[in-house]
């Protein structure tokens, strides 16, 4: 069976490219690229995932599930800057003061409290960002929890903790 290959300036390949010539030798004579090589996509990709329009392009191309993953990664990477700088500062403090042990340092509990507060703020920030993206992309409800093994049927029993059937 022969498959057709279409090549041209729109997909970035020409008939004289080695890839096209190699594919023609194995009976593949035409293909359609699954991506767009537009300047907008290329420029956004090279600008980096922390650019605002990057996740919108991912959502348009791959769908909302993949775009939410990239949006979460983008948000997480940008938020990691704060504990990285604070951790570096604490490490530098301990390096410059070798006589102070980590166990009896006053900086370590402050850093620990900072990381706890940072974690809460990060989680709340992601909730807001996710709701904003869901609204922008027209996602009515993001399914956060999936039903665990819907085909499983077990025996009912009384819970030793709550005393209720489960």
């Amino acid at each position: 069976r022969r498959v057709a290959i279409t090549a041209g300036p729109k997909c970035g390949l020409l008939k004289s490219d080695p890839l096209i010539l190699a594919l023609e030798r194995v009976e593949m004579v035409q293909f359609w690229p699954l991506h767009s090589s537009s300047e907008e996509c290329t420029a956004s990709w090279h600008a980096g995932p922390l650019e605002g329009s990057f996740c919108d392009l991912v959502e348009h191309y791959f769908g909302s599930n993949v775009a939410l993953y990239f949006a979460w990664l983008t948000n997480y990477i940008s938020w990691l800057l704060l504990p990285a700088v604070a951790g570096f500062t604490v490490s530098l403090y301990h390096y410059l003061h070798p006589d102070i042990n980590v166990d009896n340092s006053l900086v370590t509990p402050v850093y620990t409290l900072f990381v706890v507060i940072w974690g809460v703020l990060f989680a709340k920030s992601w909730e807001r960002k996710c709701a904003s993206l869901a609204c922008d992309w027209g996602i009515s409800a993001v399914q956060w929890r999936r039903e665990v093994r819907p085909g499983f049927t077990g025996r009912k029993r009384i819970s030793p903790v709550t005393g209720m059937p489960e």
Side-chain angles (χ1 to χ4, degrees):
R1 190 170 85 155
R2 292 172 55 100
V3 179
I5 298 174
T6 56
K10 191 170 189 177
C11 68
L13 294 174
L14 301 173
K15 293 259 186 205
S16 60
D17 282 350
L19 175 64
I20 302 300
L21 297 174
L23 290 173
E24 284 177 345
R25 276 187 247 131
V26 293
E27 302 274 341
M28 186 177 291
V29 292
Q30 191 174 21
F31 74 94
W32 292 269
L34 296 177
H35 65 280
S36 168
S37 62
S38 69
E39 292 297 322
E40 180 184 353
C41 292
T42 306
S44 176
W45 180 259
H46 291 300
L50 297 180
E51 190 69 29
S53 63
F54 174 77
C55 289
D56 291 333
L57 288 172
V58 171
E59 190 274 333
H60 179 69
Y61 191 78
F62 291 107
S64 58
N65 287 338
V66 175
L68 278 175
Y69 170 74
F70 276 99
W72 182 85
L73 272 180
T74 301
N75 193 35
Y76 184 58
I77 289 169
S78 62
W79 271 79
L80 274 179
L81 185 64
L82 293 171
V85 169
F88 178 76
T89 305
V90 169
S91 296
L92 186 64
Y93 174 80
H94 286 295
Y95 178 77
L96 295 175
H97 299 90
D99 54 322
I100 299 176
N101 192 345
V102 174
D103 295 332
N104 59 11
S105 171
L106 295 177
V107 178
T108 306
V110 172
Y111 176 70
T112 304
L113 183 63
F114 169 76
V115 170
V116 169
I117 292 170
W118 171 87
V120 171
L121 291 175
F122 166 70
K124 290 298 180 185
S125 164
W126 172 243
E127 283 181 19
R128 290 180 58 118
K129 178 80 171 174
C130 186
S132 172
L133 290 173
C135 183
D136 290 346
W137 295 337
I139 304 170
S140 60
V142 177
Q143 184 178 2
W144 292 104
R145 296 183 185 188
R146 295 182 186 163
E147 188 176 335
V148 180
R149 297 175 57 192
F152 177 75
T153 56
R155 287 183 270 165
K156 292 211 180 255
R157 66 179 183 126
I158 303 297
S159 170
V161 176
T162 63
M164 303 292 293
E166 58 179 17

